[in-house]
Amino acid sequence: MQKIVILTGAGISAESGLGTFRDKDGIWTRYRIEDVATPQAFARDPDLVHRFYNTRRTQAAGARPNAAHQALARLQTEHPGEVIIVTQNVDRLHEAAGAQNVIHMHGELARALCASCGARWDAAPEIGPHDACPHCGARACRPDVVWFGEMPYRMEEILAHLSEAAIFAAIGTSGQVYPAAGFAQEAALAGAHCIEINLESSAVAADFDDTRQGTASETVPGWVADILCE
Ligand code: APR
């Protein structure tokens, strides 16, 4: 049965009210990456970094999945082959729509990570650098998100899925951040048909065989219906 691997980015959650990073008014137009999203920023000013993620955690907790998240969850249930969802998003909207086994390659806002021992736990709505680790007791709490300069999670597993994909779809991502931006090339090498579904052409649009342009909530349900031959 045909395996489908889907990569999602901030664009899929835009219509749920969560801002993207690089669009007009995006998060990186209001904050500097080097102030809030690098290990060096955290070493310099952990309170500031925690405040940034605490705000985003609160926003994400109040967001609801949209028709695109719901369509992908339905695809997972109804497609006879495996459907793997890899997301760069740190929200839980895929899960809220009913998706299973989502791979959060950039971590999750809902989780905290001990910078001392590596233990992870469910984050309270607000966390801070001096919260004690429930495992080792160290006061070295950080958000469980992958910062610039850090290795995304579960890369071996993702590359193995890409090497088996018959279809690869990238949804709502600008293609500006690697390694995710290189997934279409990886999947194409393995013979996958690659489709980009995005509001505008991404930085790596040339790596795809096919494109659907539009908002995720309009385009993704139609693509899913086509895959399911409805
Ligand atoms: N429907 C579909 N696509 C949309 C929509 C929408 N409603 N709104 C915006 N988009 C598209 C934009 O056109 C853009 O190409 O989504 C993309 C969002 O791009 P980015 O803001 O760069 O987000 P993303 O690609 O997920 O960023 C990757 O960068 O800062 C890091 O770690 C962060 O995971 C993030 C990574």
Side-chain angles (χ1 to χ4, degrees):
M1 271 301 141
Q2 288 203 319
K3 180 166 180 162
I4 303 175
V5 179
I6 297 162
L7 170 72
T8 64
I12 198 171
S13 296
E15 292 160 86
S16 295
L18 300 180
T20 62
F21 294 96
R22 296 173 182 81
D23 290 304
K24 186 168 122 353
D25 302 326
I27 292 172
W28 297 147
T29 67
R30 287 176 284 119
Y31 293 88
R32 290 177 352 135
I33 288 174
E34 52 272 40
D35 289 340
V36 292
T38 65
Q40 293 79 2
F42 189 64
R44 208 164 43 235
D45 193 344
D47 288 307
L48 173 72
V49 173
H50 270 293
R51 275 203 304 280
F52 172 72
Y53 287 101
N54 285 342
T55 303
R56 293 187 57 206
R57 187 177 301 106
T58 304
Q59 286 165 349
R64 296 286 163 267
N66 64 53
H69 299 102
Q70 281 153 0
L72 296 186
R74 187 166 81 85
L75 182 65
Q76 260 191 338
T77 312
E78 297 183 16
H79 178 64
E82 222 182 338
V83 176
I84 306 293
I85 299 176
V86 179
T87 189
Q88 298 167 91
N89 298 343
V90 290
D91 63 55
R92 291 186 60 82
L93 294 179
H94 285 300
E95 288 87 344
Q100 306 287 320
N101 304 319
V102 177
I103 299 179
H104 282 271
M105 63 179 292
H106 290 172
E108 289 184 69
L109 284 169
R111 305 278 286 166
L113 168 66
C114 175
S116 178
C117 76
R120 294 186 165 85
W121 64 97
D122 286 338
E126 298 224 328
I127 59 175
H130 306 300
D131 295 358
C133 169
H135 182 69
C136 74
R139 295 187 181 277
C141 168
R142 57 168 281 181
D144 188 13
V145 297
V146 175
W147 288 322
F148 286 88
E150 294 183 321
M151 181 60 81
Y153 297 155
R154 300 172 67 178
M155 279 306 298
E156 270 187 37
E157 201 183 331
I158 294 169
L159 292 174
H161 286 309
L162 290 171
S163 74
E164 293 168 358
I167 298 174
F168 170 74
I171 302 173
T173 177
S174 62
Q176 295 197 40
V177 176
Y178 284 81
F183 287 177
Q185 276 195 352
E186 289 288 336
L189 273 177
H193 180 82
C194 297
I195 175 163
E196 174 166 276
I197 304 177
N198 210 34
L199 201 51
E200 60 194 14
S201 225
S202 81
V204 291
D207 296 337
F208 291 83
D209 304 299
D210 204 355
T211 306
R212 292 196 185 189
Q213 267 190 18
T215 61
S217 72
E218 282 172 4
T219 48
V220 176
W223 174 69
V224 165
D226 289 348
I227 298 271
L228 296 174
C229 299
E230 290 169 346

